[in-house]
Amino acid sequence: MAKAHALSAALLLVMSVSLSALGGVHGICGMSNDEFKLCRPAAAVNNPTDSPSADCCAALGKANLSCICRYKGIAGICLRKYHIDAKRALALPGKCGLTMPNNCA
């Protein structure tokens, strides 16, 4: 049980550090800060758009989808700070016609 809590805490720390990069030039999962913002409307917690924009899909096409899978589950809680629903965000590649890695399903 203690290992699970330690793993969760470590994962949240990694996510926090990763998300702090959103303000910088490095972005997240191979997407720049500007590319990440292109997908925000379709993954918003409140009033999301029905589908991602073509620009969002183009950005996701260059993204590291395995990295995006890491935001599934407890790590996705950190995304709420940015008003992003992790479940919606994880659905975006599929809406763009991209195939998520098998270990992400």
Side-chain angles (χ1 to χ4, degrees), residues 28-31 59-70 100-101:
I28 190 166
C29 295
M31 295 174 71
L60 282 171
K62 297 184 285 183
N64 179 339
L65 298 181
S66 294
C67 173
I68 291 172
C69 289
R70 291 185 224 153
M100 293 298 281

Side-chain angles (χ1 to χ4, degrees), residues 9 12-13 15 17 21 24 30 42 50 56 62 67 69 77 82 85-86 92 95 97 105:
L12 286 174
L13 176 62
M15 296 302 300
V17 171
D50 290 332
C56 169
K62 297 184 285 183
C67 173
C69 289
I77 293 170
Y82 299 94
D85 182 289
L92 293 180
K95 289 183 176 185

Side-chain angles (χ1 to χ4, degrees), residues 14-94:
V14 169
M15 296 302 300
S16 296
V17 171
S18 295
L19 288 173
S20 69
L22 288 175
V25 294
H26 299 295
I28 190 166
C29 295
M31 295 174 71
S32 71
N33 188 30
D34 289 338
E35 290 171 324
F36 182 81
K37 287 179 181 178
L38 293 171
C39 294
R40 193 175 287 168
V45 170
N46 296 315
N47 303 316
T49 59
D50 290 332
S51 58
S53 67
D55 289 335
C56 169
C57 289
L60 282 171
K62 297 184 285 183
N64 179 339
L65 298 181
S66 294
C67 173
I68 291 172
C69 289
R70 291 185 224 153
Y71 290 88
K72 192 174 181 179
I74 197 162
I77 293 170
C78 294
L79 293 175
R80 288 228 178 244
K81 177 179 177 183
Y82 299 94
H83 307 286
I84 295 170
D85 182 289
K87 189 173 183 177
R88 286 186 187 120
L90 286 169
L92 293 180

